[in-house]
Amino acid sequence: MPCRKPTRVFLMVLLGTAVLYAQVPPAPTGSSPQPAPTFKANSRLVLVDVVVSNGNREPVHDLKQQDFTVLEDGKPQTLVSFDEERPDAKTTAVPAPLNLPKDVYTNYAVRTEPGALTVLLFDLLNSDREHLVYAKNEMLHFLKELPPGKRVALFTLGSQLRMAQGFTEDSDQLIAAAQQISTKPNPAYSNNKELSGTIGELKESGLLKAPRAYRSLVQFLDDDYQGKLESRSQDTLDALTQLARALAVLPGRKNLIWVSGGFPFDTARNAPQLQKVAALLAATRIAVYPVDVRGVVMMTADGSTRDSEIYAPNQTQSYETLSGQNGENISIVETLKNMAELTGGRAYVNRNDLDSEIANAMQTGASYYSLAYRPANQNWDGKFRKITVKAARPDLKLLHRTGYYALLDPLSSKEYPDRMISLAMQPNVPVSTQLIMKARVTPPQGPGQATAIEMFIDAHDLTFTEGTEKQKTPLVQFVAVAYDGSGKQSNSFSMGFHPALAPAQMEALLRSGVGLHRELLLKPGSYQLRLGVMDRLSGRIGTLDVPLTIEAKAAAK
């Protein structure tokens, strides 16, 4: 799929430049000709990470570009870039620290370690308590055996996505964070077995003597189940979208080990949603490795479902089919496998050794080859394009994504901008790094003063619409929300920036950047200040968190 050129590192410029306000820069004086502004452009490259192993599932190293052939929809493609990434490679030179001035913050991040990063996502939303307890114990066992030098981050998915522990090589920190994870399932969780058991209780209660009431109640229970399922599906896709935005700035492959009970996604009706999320994950080089916490799935009737005569007096089909469990399980497995295939990962289902599965997922994706090509087909029509990678050696096994959706900008969220920026500004979700931003937050210096907030972004990272007389217009939204210690919103602002820029003004903006200055009145106390910016034309979002303490003597009245 098309990918943008990597965001240019402009922090050295920012550190020595005053933050601009949200205003149009004046046109420069003088009659000397000015060069035309450079606008953001997609490089139209497709990146394919390929994991190569032998018959023993051991990684194969030192292959060359000529050892691979890439086809898109059956047509050979010309590779323009080739690289091998392996965890035992020499670490690249550590970049100089940013040395940000006092009260200055950024969401820019770097990584120098070779190989892929590992992200653990523990899914409380799509798993029941029994499986959560077992999965947590298995995950803890995996972390206790974690080899040294492995950088891992831990996230949880409940009512929203939360980062339990950022990337670290310290297994003790990961274990401590994992031990704090609850095993209480989300109230939205339900499955067909529970539904079957509830209907069985209704039947045993004698409600069958009132057939109309019985049918109405069964319909109500089924509607409630479907509503919870749709809510879980949307929340899960939102969480994966947020995770992709959070990891967008980190280069290279990220292996997402999704420890989950899965959800029976209706691919026929909701395929575009799944496709868009898969495209976003693949664009940010995230390979999904689902680990099914249900282990070996048993679908027989038990005490919780009362008996196997729930749905019909004279059954002509098995209980598993009549209760819906068989179809539900097939749909869950298909969803997990589809997500893995579309992103270049591998699904682990129908096994009970979850700790071994997690370890295998991390090991499998640690070494890979990165292949890039410019598609011969430059029509970005959103349709699926199949990718086939072949190795010159027939004994090798290749793992890579099966294709991509030809979206002009897979990172975009412009279809639902208000919803996406609202989600990104929640206090506990990971910060977004699709737009790199810098901010200066100056606490009040005396009574009657407010907190000064300055935000800055590089204009080269924005999209512009073209109007008359060669005018260019951005559509940028700056947002700030202050949350108190209990997570409640204390104050906020939202401000737009969308002037029509003449060519000379546009060029000045590209040189100096886009900035905003606002003040925020807050009472004495400690706050988490979440700052955000959204390019509403491209849908890209950047956020960062600033810890803020306001002393009583300096608070705004």
Side-chain angles (χ1 to χ4, degrees), residues 498-533:
H498 48 87
L501 302 168
Q505 293 173 315
M506 182 69 205
E507 185 177 337
L509 192 74
L510 290 170
R511 288 197 304 265
S512 60
V514 179
L516 171 81
H517 174 87
R518 284 294 298 269
E519 294 185 341
L520 202 63
L521 291 169
L522 295 168
K523 296 179 180 180
S526 296
Y527 299 89
Q528 174 188 318
L529 185 62
R530 173 150 290 203
L531 306 178
V533 60

PDB file of all heavy atoms in Angstrom, residues 498-533:
ATOM      1  N   HIS A 498      -7.330  27.569   9.456  1.00  0.00           N
ATOM      2  CA  HIS A 498      -7.651  27.255   8.067  1.00  0.00           C
ATOM      3  C   HIS A 498      -7.702  28.506   7.194  1.00  0.00           C
ATOM      4  O   HIS A 498      -8.710  28.787   6.540  1.00  0.00           O
ATOM      5  CB  HIS A 498      -8.975  26.490   7.980  1.00  0.00           C
ATOM      6  CG  HIS A 498     -10.087  27.108   8.791  1.00  0.00           C
ATOM      7  ND1 HIS A 498     -10.900  28.096   8.307  1.00  0.00           N
ATOM      8  CD2 HIS A 498     -10.486  26.872  10.057  1.00  0.00           C
ATOM      9  CE1 HIS A 498     -11.768  28.445   9.235  1.00  0.00           C
ATOM     10  NE2 HIS A 498     -11.543  27.728  10.311  1.00  0.00           N
ATOM     11  N   PRO A 499      -6.616  29.266   7.125  1.00  0.00           N
ATOM     12  CA  PRO A 499      -6.589  30.444   6.266  1.00  0.00           C
ATOM     13  C   PRO A 499      -6.312  30.067   4.812  1.00  0.00           C
ATOM     14  O   PRO A 499      -5.696  29.030   4.523  1.00  0.00           O
ATOM     15  CB  PRO A 499      -5.438  31.257   6.846  1.00  0.00           C
ATOM     16  CG  PRO A 499      -4.493  30.208   7.347  1.00  0.00           C
ATOM     17  CD  PRO A 499      -5.362  29.103   7.873  1.00  0.00           C
ATOM     18  N   ALA A 500      -6.776  30.878   3.907  1.00  0.00           N
ATOM     19  CA  ALA A 500      -6.411  30.737   2.491  1.00  0.00           C
ATOM     20  C   ALA A 500      -5.076  31.444   2.289  1.00  0.00           C
ATOM     21  O   ALA A 500      -4.957  32.652   2.526  1.00  0.00           O
ATOM     22  CB  ALA A 500      -7.490  31.345   1.607  1.00  0.00           C
ATOM     23  N   LEU A 501      -4.064  30.719   1.879  1.00  0.00           N
ATOM     24  CA  LEU A 501      -2.701  31.228   1.821  1.00  0.00           C
ATOM     25  C   LEU A 501      -2.287  31.526   0.388  1.00  0.00           C
ATOM     26  O   LEU A 501      -2.366  30.654  -0.488  1.00  0.00           O
ATOM     27  CB  LEU A 501      -1.730  30.214   2.429  1.00  0.00           C
ATOM     28  CG  LEU A 501      -2.006  29.807   3.887  1.00  0.00           C
ATOM     29  CD1 LEU A 501      -1.165  28.603   4.263  1.00  0.00           C
ATOM     30  CD2 LEU A 501      -1.734  30.969   4.826  1.00  0.00           C
ATOM     31  N   ALA A 502      -1.838  32.743   0.171  1.00  0.00           N
ATOM     32  CA  ALA A 502      -1.235  33.093  -1.108  1.00  0.00           C
ATOM     33  C   ALA A 502       0.100  32.362  -1.228  1.00  0.00           C
ATOM     34  O   ALA A 502       0.677  31.924  -0.230  1.00  0.00           O
ATOM     35  CB  ALA A 502      -1.042  34.604  -1.187  1.00  0.00           C
ATOM     36  N   PRO A 503       0.615  32.218  -2.447  1.00  0.00           N
ATOM     37  CA  PRO A 503       1.873  31.468  -2.618  1.00  0.00           C
ATOM     38  C   PRO A 503       3.002  31.948  -1.716  1.00  0.00           C
ATOM     39  O   PRO A 503       3.728  31.141  -1.140  1.00  0.00           O
ATOM     40  CB  PRO A 503       2.189  31.682  -4.099  1.00  0.00           C
ATOM     41  CG  PRO A 503       0.851  31.843  -4.747  1.00  0.00           C
ATOM     42  CD  PRO A 503       0.029  32.595  -3.755  1.00  0.00           C
ATOM     43  N   ALA A 504       3.165  33.271  -1.581  1.00  0.00           N
ATOM     44  CA  ALA A 504       4.251  33.775  -0.738  1.00  0.00           C
ATOM     45  C   ALA A 504       4.013  33.433   0.723  1.00  0.00           C
ATOM     46  O   ALA A 504       4.945  33.087   1.461  1.00  0.00           O
ATOM     47  CB  ALA A 504       4.384  35.288  -0.910  1.00  0.00           C
ATOM     48  N   GLN A 505       2.755  33.512   1.173  1.00  0.00           N
ATOM     49  CA  GLN A 505       2.435  33.148   2.552  1.00  0.00           C
ATOM     50  C   GLN A 505       2.633  31.657   2.787  1.00  0.00           C
ATOM     51  O   GLN A 505       3.097  31.238   3.848  1.00  0.00           O
ATOM     52  CB  GLN A 505       0.989  33.547   2.856  1.00  0.00           C
ATOM     53  CG  GLN A 505       0.740  35.041   2.868  1.00  0.00           C
ATOM     54  CD  GLN A 505      -0.732  35.369   3.014  1.00  0.00           C
ATOM     55  OE1 GLN A 505      -1.572  34.776   2.348  1.00  0.00           O
ATOM     56  NE2 GLN A 505      -1.050  36.296   3.906  1.00  0.00           N
ATOM     57  N   MET A 506       2.289  30.875   1.786  1.00  0.00           N
ATOM     58  CA  MET A 506       2.459  29.433   1.892  1.00  0.00           C
ATOM     59  C   MET A 506       3.930  29.068   2.040  1.00  0.00           C
ATOM     60  O   MET A 506       4.318  28.235   2.869  1.00  0.00           O
ATOM     61  CB  MET A 506       1.876  28.763   0.637  1.00  0.00           C
ATOM     62  CG  MET A 506       1.953  27.257   0.658  1.00  0.00           C
ATOM     63  SD  MET A 506       0.855  26.538   1.884  1.00  0.00           S
ATOM     64  CE  MET A 506       1.692  24.989   2.168  1.00  0.00           C
ATOM     65  N   GLU A 507       4.745  29.736   1.273  1.00  0.00           N
ATOM     66  CA  GLU A 507       6.180  29.451   1.347  1.00  0.00           C
ATOM     67  C   GLU A 507       6.742  29.835   2.713  1.00  0.00           C
ATOM     68  O   GLU A 507       7.563  29.125   3.295  1.00  0.00           O
ATOM     69  CB  GLU A 507       6.907  30.207   0.245  1.00  0.00           C
ATOM     70  CG  GLU A 507       8.387  29.868   0.173  1.00  0.00           C
ATOM     71  CD  GLU A 507       9.061  30.571  -0.974  1.00  0.00           C
ATOM     72  OE1 GLU A 507       8.356  30.940  -1.926  1.00  0.00           O
ATOM     73  OE2 GLU A 507      10.277  30.759  -0.897  1.00  0.00           O
ATOM     74  N   ALA A 508       6.280  30.972   3.250  1.00  0.00           N
ATOM     75  CA  ALA A 508       6.733  31.399   4.573  1.00  0.00           C
ATOM     76  C   ALA A 508       6.293  30.407   5.637  1.00  0.00           C
ATOM     77  O   ALA A 508       7.033  30.119   6.582  1.00  0.00           O
ATOM     78  CB  ALA A 508       6.184  32.800   4.875  1.00  0.00           C
ATOM     79  N   LEU A 509       5.081  29.867   5.487  1.00  0.00           N
ATOM     80  CA  LEU A 509       4.567  28.891   6.458  1.00  0.00           C
ATOM     81  C   LEU A 509       5.391  27.611   6.425  1.00  0.00           C
ATOM     82  O   LEU A 509       5.666  26.998   7.464  1.00  0.00           O
ATOM     83  CB  LEU A 509       3.097  28.584   6.165  1.00  0.00           C
ATOM     84  CG  LEU A 509       2.357  27.818   7.257  1.00  0.00           C
ATOM     85  CD1 LEU A 509       2.072  28.735   8.437  1.00  0.00           C
ATOM     86  CD2 LEU A 509       1.053  27.233   6.722  1.00  0.00           C
ATOM     87  N   LEU A 510       5.798  27.191   5.224  1.00  0.00           N
ATOM     88  CA  LEU A 510       6.608  25.985   5.107  1.00  0.00           C
ATOM     89  C   LEU A 510       7.980  26.173   5.755  1.00  0.00           C
ATOM     90  O   LEU A 510       8.575  25.224   6.255  1.00  0.00           O
ATOM     91  CB  LEU A 510       6.763  25.598   3.629  1.00  0.00           C
ATOM     92  CG  LEU A 510       5.496  25.075   2.945  1.00  0.00           C
ATOM     93  CD1 LEU A 510       5.715  24.954   1.453  1.00  0.00           C
ATOM     94  CD2 LEU A 510       5.094  23.728   3.534  1.00  0.00           C
ATOM     95  N   ARG A 511       8.474  27.401   5.747  1.00  0.00           N
ATOM     96  CA  ARG A 511       9.764  27.655   6.372  1.00  0.00           C
ATOM     97  C   ARG A 511       9.642  27.724   7.897  1.00  0.00           C
ATOM     98  O   ARG A 511      10.510  27.246   8.620  1.00  0.00           O
ATOM     99  CB  ARG A 511      10.360  28.961   5.844  1.00  0.00           C
ATOM    100  CG  ARG A 511      10.866  28.911   4.417  1.00  0.00           C
ATOM    101  CD  ARG A 511      11.803  30.088   4.148  1.00  0.00           C
ATOM    102  NE  ARG A 511      11.146  31.359   4.450  1.00  0.00           N
ATOM    103  CZ  ARG A 511      10.518  32.102   3.543  1.00  0.00           C
ATOM    104  NH1 ARG A 511      10.447  31.671   2.291  1.00  0.00           N
ATOM    105  NH2 ARG A 511       9.968  33.246   3.887  1.00  0.00           N
ATOM    106  N   SER A 512       8.560  28.321   8.387  1.00  0.00           N
ATOM    107  CA  SER A 512       8.474  28.613   9.811  1.00  0.00           C
ATOM    108  C   SER A 512       7.621  27.631  10.595  1.00  0.00           C
ATOM    109  O   SER A 512       7.831  27.436  11.790  1.00  0.00           O
ATOM    110  CB  SER A 512       7.924  30.025  10.015  1.00  0.00           C
ATOM    111  OG  SER A 512       6.629  30.142   9.442  1.00  0.00           O
ATOM    112  N   GLY A 513       6.651  27.009   9.952  1.00  0.00           N
ATOM    113  CA  GLY A 513       5.788  26.064  10.643  1.00  0.00           C
ATOM    114  C   GLY A 513       4.489  26.700  11.100  1.00  0.00           C
ATOM    115  O   GLY A 513       4.259  27.905  10.956  1.00  0.00           O
ATOM    116  N   VAL A 514       3.611  25.858  11.667  1.00  0.00           N
ATOM    117  CA  VAL A 514       2.301  26.293  12.144  1.00  0.00           C
ATOM    118  C   VAL A 514       2.290  26.199  13.663  1.00  0.00           C
ATOM    119  O   VAL A 514       2.640  25.150  14.226  1.00  0.00           O
ATOM    120  CB  VAL A 514       1.171  25.426  11.561  1.00  0.00           C
ATOM    121  CG1 VAL A 514      -0.190  25.881  12.091  1.00  0.00           C
ATOM    122  CG2 VAL A 514       1.197  25.479  10.039  1.00  0.00           C
ATOM    123  N   GLY A 515       1.907  27.267  14.316  1.00  0.00           N
ATOM    124  CA  GLY A 515       1.902  27.270  15.766  1.00  0.00           C
ATOM    125  C   GLY A 515       0.648  27.902  16.345  1.00  0.00           C
ATOM    126  O   GLY A 515      -0.127  28.559  15.644  1.00  0.00           O
ATOM    127  N   LEU A 516       0.445  27.681  17.619  1.00  0.00           N
ATOM    128  CA  LEU A 516      -0.716  28.203  18.324  1.00  0.00           C
ATOM    129  C   LEU A 516      -0.305  28.598  19.735  1.00  0.00           C
ATOM    130  O   LEU A 516       0.472  27.889  20.383  1.00  0.00           O
ATOM    131  CB  LEU A 516      -1.819  27.141  18.392  1.00  0.00           C
ATOM    132  CG  LEU A 516      -3.019  27.476  19.279  1.00  0.00           C
ATOM    133  CD1 LEU A 516      -3.983  28.379  18.538  1.00  0.00           C
ATOM    134  CD2 LEU A 516      -3.727  26.215  19.740  1.00  0.00           C
ATOM    135  N   HIS A 517      -0.846  29.713  20.200  1.00  0.00           N
ATOM    136  CA  HIS A 517      -0.656  30.125  21.591  1.00  0.00           C
ATOM    137  C   HIS A 517      -2.027  30.346  22.214  1.00  0.00           C
ATOM    138  O   HIS A 517      -2.847  31.099  21.697  1.00  0.00           O
ATOM    139  CB  HIS A 517       0.166  31.413  21.682  1.00  0.00           C
ATOM    140  CG  HIS A 517       0.261  31.947  23.085  1.00  0.00           C
ATOM    141  ND1 HIS A 517       1.245  31.532  23.959  1.00  0.00           N
ATOM    142  CD2 HIS A 517      -0.513  32.816  23.773  1.00  0.00           C
ATOM    143  CE1 HIS A 517       1.070  32.150  25.122  1.00  0.00           C
ATOM    144  NE2 HIS A 517      -0.004  32.935  25.036  1.00  0.00           N
ATOM    145  N   ARG A 518      -2.274  29.652  23.336  1.00  0.00           N
ATOM    146  CA  ARG A 518      -3.503  29.845  24.087  1.00  0.00           C
ATOM    147  C   ARG A 518      -3.192  29.755  25.575  1.00  0.00           C
ATOM    148  O   ARG A 518      -2.166  29.209  25.978  1.00  0.00           O
ATOM    149  CB  ARG A 518      -4.550  28.777  23.724  1.00  0.00           C
ATOM    150  CG  ARG A 518      -5.243  28.979  22.391  1.00  0.00           C
ATOM    151  CD  ARG A 518      -6.118  30.219  22.375  1.00  0.00           C
ATOM    152  NE  ARG A 518      -7.189  30.169  23.336  1.00  0.00           N
ATOM    153  CZ  ARG A 518      -8.408  29.683  23.080  1.00  0.00           C
ATOM    154  NH1 ARG A 518      -8.697  29.186  21.890  1.00  0.00           N
ATOM    155  NH2 ARG A 518      -9.334  29.687  24.019  1.00  0.00           N
ATOM    156  N   GLU A 519      -4.117  30.267  26.382  1.00  0.00           N
ATOM    157  CA  GLU A 519      -3.979  30.174  27.824  1.00  0.00           C
ATOM    158  C   GLU A 519      -5.134  29.379  28.393  1.00  0.00           C
ATOM    159  O   GLU A 519      -6.248  29.389  27.854  1.00  0.00           O
ATOM    160  CB  GLU A 519      -3.922  31.577  28.443  1.00  0.00           C
ATOM    161  CG  GLU A 519      -2.670  32.342  28.044  1.00  0.00           C
ATOM    162  CD  GLU A 519      -2.568  33.673  28.743  1.00  0.00           C
ATOM    163  OE1 GLU A 519      -3.606  34.172  29.237  1.00  0.00           O
ATOM    164  OE2 GLU A 519      -1.450  34.232  28.798  1.00  0.00           O
ATOM    165  N   LEU A 520      -4.863  28.678  29.492  1.00  0.00           N
ATOM    166  CA  LEU A 520      -5.848  27.808  30.106  1.00  0.00           C
ATOM    167  C   LEU A 520      -5.901  28.103  31.603  1.00  0.00           C
ATOM    168  O   LEU A 520      -4.878  28.038  32.293  1.00  0.00           O
ATOM    169  CB  LEU A 520      -5.477  26.340  29.864  1.00  0.00           C
ATOM    170  CG  LEU A 520      -6.591  25.300  29.957  1.00  0.00           C
ATOM    171  CD1 LEU A 520      -7.642  25.548  28.886  1.00  0.00           C
ATOM    172  CD2 LEU A 520      -6.009  23.898  29.801  1.00  0.00           C
ATOM    173  N   LEU A 521      -7.077  28.448  32.108  1.00  0.00           N
ATOM    174  CA  LEU A 521      -7.260  28.732  33.525  1.00  0.00           C
ATOM    175  C   LEU A 521      -7.519  27.446  34.289  1.00  0.00           C
ATOM    176  O   LEU A 521      -8.417  26.682  33.939  1.00  0.00           O
ATOM    177  CB  LEU A 521      -8.442  29.687  33.718  1.00  0.00           C
ATOM    178  CG  LEU A 521      -8.251  31.123  33.212  1.00  0.00           C
ATOM    179  CD1 LEU A 521      -9.575  31.850  33.233  1.00  0.00           C
ATOM    180  CD2 LEU A 521      -7.205  31.846  34.030  1.00  0.00           C
ATOM    181  N   LEU A 522      -6.731  27.199  35.314  1.00  0.00           N
ATOM    182  CA  LEU A 522      -6.866  25.988  36.109  1.00  0.00           C
ATOM    183  C   LEU A 522      -6.689  26.319  37.588  1.00  0.00           C
ATOM    184  O   LEU A 522      -5.899  27.192  37.959  1.00  0.00           O
ATOM    185  CB  LEU A 522      -5.824  24.944  35.693  1.00  0.00           C
ATOM    186  CG  LEU A 522      -5.955  24.383  34.273  1.00  0.00           C
ATOM    187  CD1 LEU A 522      -4.703  23.598  33.902  1.00  0.00           C
ATOM    188  CD2 LEU A 522      -7.191  23.496  34.157  1.00  0.00           C
ATOM    189  N   LYS A 523      -7.388  25.570  38.422  1.00  0.00           N
ATOM    190  CA  LYS A 523      -7.264  25.728  39.867  1.00  0.00           C
ATOM    191  C   LYS A 523      -5.994  25.039  40.359  1.00  0.00           C
ATOM    192  O   LYS A 523      -5.389  24.252  39.629  1.00  0.00           O
ATOM    193  CB  LYS A 523      -8.490  25.127  40.561  1.00  0.00           C
ATOM    194  CG  LYS A 523      -9.799  25.822  40.228  1.00  0.00           C
ATOM    195  CD  LYS A 523     -10.964  25.140  40.932  1.00  0.00           C
ATOM    196  CE  LYS A 523     -12.284  25.823  40.604  1.00  0.00           C
ATOM    197  NZ  LYS A 523     -13.431  25.161  41.276  1.00  0.00           N
ATOM    198  N   PRO A 524      -5.569  25.299  41.601  1.00  0.00           N
ATOM    199  CA  PRO A 524      -4.385  24.606  42.135  1.00  0.00           C
ATOM    200  C   PRO A 524      -4.596  23.094  42.121  1.00  0.00           C
ATOM    201  O   PRO A 524      -5.695  22.602  42.360  1.00  0.00           O
ATOM    202  CB  PRO A 524      -4.285  25.132  43.563  1.00  0.00           C
ATOM    203  CG  PRO A 524      -5.010  26.431  43.553  1.00  0.00           C
ATOM    204  CD  PRO A 524      -6.114  26.283  42.562  1.00  0.00           C
ATOM    205  N   GLY A 525      -3.549  22.363  41.817  1.00  0.00           N
ATOM    206  CA  GLY A 525      -3.624  20.910  41.798  1.00  0.00           C
ATOM    207  C   GLY A 525      -2.707  20.313  40.755  1.00  0.00           C
ATOM    208  O   GLY A 525      -1.946  21.017  40.080  1.00  0.00           O
ATOM    209  N   SER A 526      -2.776  18.994  40.637  1.00  0.00           N
ATOM    210  CA  SER A 526      -1.955  18.256  39.669  1.00  0.00           C
ATOM    211  C   SER A 526      -2.838  17.786  38.525  1.00  0.00           C
ATOM    212  O   SER A 526      -3.955  17.290  38.748  1.00  0.00           O
ATOM    213  CB  SER A 526      -1.282  17.063  40.348  1.00  0.00           C
ATOM    214  OG  SER A 526      -0.380  17.505  41.346  1.00  0.00           O
ATOM    215  N   TYR A 527      -2.324  17.919  37.322  1.00  0.00           N
ATOM    216  CA  TYR A 527      -3.105  17.608  36.130  1.00  0.00           C
ATOM    217  C   TYR A 527      -2.277  16.796  35.136  1.00  0.00           C
ATOM    218  O   TYR A 527      -1.046  16.852  35.124  1.00  0.00           O
ATOM    219  CB  TYR A 527      -3.570  18.893  35.431  1.00  0.00           C
ATOM    220  CG  TYR A 527      -4.452  19.777  36.279  1.00  0.00           C
ATOM    221  CD1 TYR A 527      -3.883  20.759  37.100  1.00  0.00           C
ATOM    222  CD2 TYR A 527      -5.825  19.639  36.259  1.00  0.00           C
ATOM    223  CE1 TYR A 527      -4.681  21.583  37.875  1.00  0.00           C
ATOM    224  CE2 TYR A 527      -6.637  20.462  37.039  1.00  0.00           C
ATOM    225  CZ  TYR A 527      -6.060  21.426  37.842  1.00  0.00           C
ATOM    226  OH  TYR A 527      -6.864  22.234  38.612  1.00  0.00           O
ATOM    227  N   GLN A 528      -3.019  16.064  34.296  1.00  0.00           N
ATOM    228  CA  GLN A 528      -2.430  15.514  33.073  1.00  0.00           C
ATOM    229  C   GLN A 528      -3.006  16.339  31.934  1.00  0.00           C
ATOM    230  O   GLN A 528      -4.213  16.335  31.699  1.00  0.00           O
ATOM    231  CB  GLN A 528      -2.787  14.046  32.870  1.00  0.00           C
ATOM    232  CG  GLN A 528      -2.306  13.503  31.517  1.00  0.00           C
ATOM    233  CD  GLN A 528      -2.817  12.102  31.238  1.00  0.00           C
ATOM    234  OE1 GLN A 528      -2.835  11.259  32.110  1.00  0.00           O
ATOM    235  NE2 GLN A 528      -3.258  11.859  30.012  1.00  0.00           N
ATOM    236  N   LEU A 529      -2.142  17.060  31.249  1.00  0.00           N
ATOM    237  CA  LEU A 529      -2.563  17.913  30.149  1.00  0.00           C
ATOM    238  C   LEU A 529      -2.322  17.173  28.845  1.00  0.00           C
ATOM    239  O   LEU A 529      -1.177  16.895  28.488  1.00  0.00           O
ATOM    240  CB  LEU A 529      -1.783  19.224  30.179  1.00  0.00           C
ATOM    241  CG  LEU A 529      -2.167  20.293  29.166  1.00  0.00           C
ATOM    242  CD1 LEU A 529      -3.605  20.750  29.367  1.00  0.00           C
ATOM    243  CD2 LEU A 529      -1.211  21.482  29.273  1.00  0.00           C
ATOM    244  N   ARG A 530      -3.396  16.811  28.172  1.00  0.00           N
ATOM    245  CA  ARG A 530      -3.249  16.149  26.868  1.00  0.00           C
ATOM    246  C   ARG A 530      -3.432  17.190  25.772  1.00  0.00           C
ATOM    247  O   ARG A 530      -4.454  17.869  25.693  1.00  0.00           O
ATOM    248  CB  ARG A 530      -4.246  15.015  26.693  1.00  0.00           C
ATOM    249  CG  ARG A 530      -4.206  14.441  25.271  1.00  0.00           C
ATOM    250  CD  ARG A 530      -4.563  12.991  25.183  1.00  0.00           C
ATOM    251  NE  ARG A 530      -3.535  12.135  25.766  1.00  0.00           N
ATOM    252  CZ  ARG A 530      -3.383  10.839  25.439  1.00  0.00           C
ATOM    253  NH1 ARG A 530      -4.160  10.268  24.553  1.00  0.00           N
ATOM    254  NH2 ARG A 530      -2.459  10.115  26.024  1.00  0.00           N
ATOM    255  N   LEU A 531      -2.409  17.313  24.947  1.00  0.00           N
ATOM    256  CA  LEU A 531      -2.411  18.238  23.824  1.00  0.00           C
ATOM    257  C   LEU A 531      -2.520  17.452  22.530  1.00  0.00           C
ATOM    258  O   LEU A 531      -1.924  16.380  22.395  1.00  0.00           O
ATOM    259  CB  LEU A 531      -1.126  19.076  23.817  1.00  0.00           C
ATOM    260  CG  LEU A 531      -0.802  19.828  25.117  1.00  0.00           C
ATOM    261  CD1 LEU A 531       0.509  20.575  24.975  1.00  0.00           C
ATOM    262  CD2 LEU A 531      -1.932  20.775  25.493  1.00  0.00           C
ATOM    263  N   GLY A 532      -3.271  17.982  21.572  1.00  0.00           N
ATOM    264  CA  GLY A 532      -3.458  17.262  20.324  1.00  0.00           C
ATOM    265  C   GLY A 532      -3.586  18.187  19.137  1.00  0.00           C
ATOM    266  O   GLY A 532      -3.957  19.356  19.264  1.00  0.00           O
ATOM    267  N   VAL A 533      -3.252  17.662  17.982  1.00  0.00           N
ATOM    268  CA  VAL A 533      -3.435  18.386  16.732  1.00  0.00           C
ATOM    269  C   VAL A 533      -3.911  17.386  15.682  1.00  0.00           C
ATOM    270  O   VAL A 533      -3.464  16.240  15.650  1.00  0.00           O
ATOM    271  CB  VAL A 533      -2.128  19.080  16.284  1.00  0.00           C
ATOM    272  CG1 VAL A 533      -1.015  18.063  16.063  1.00  0.00           C
ATOM    273  CG2 VAL A 533      -2.350  19.910  15.022  1.00  0.00           C
TER     274      VAL A 533
END
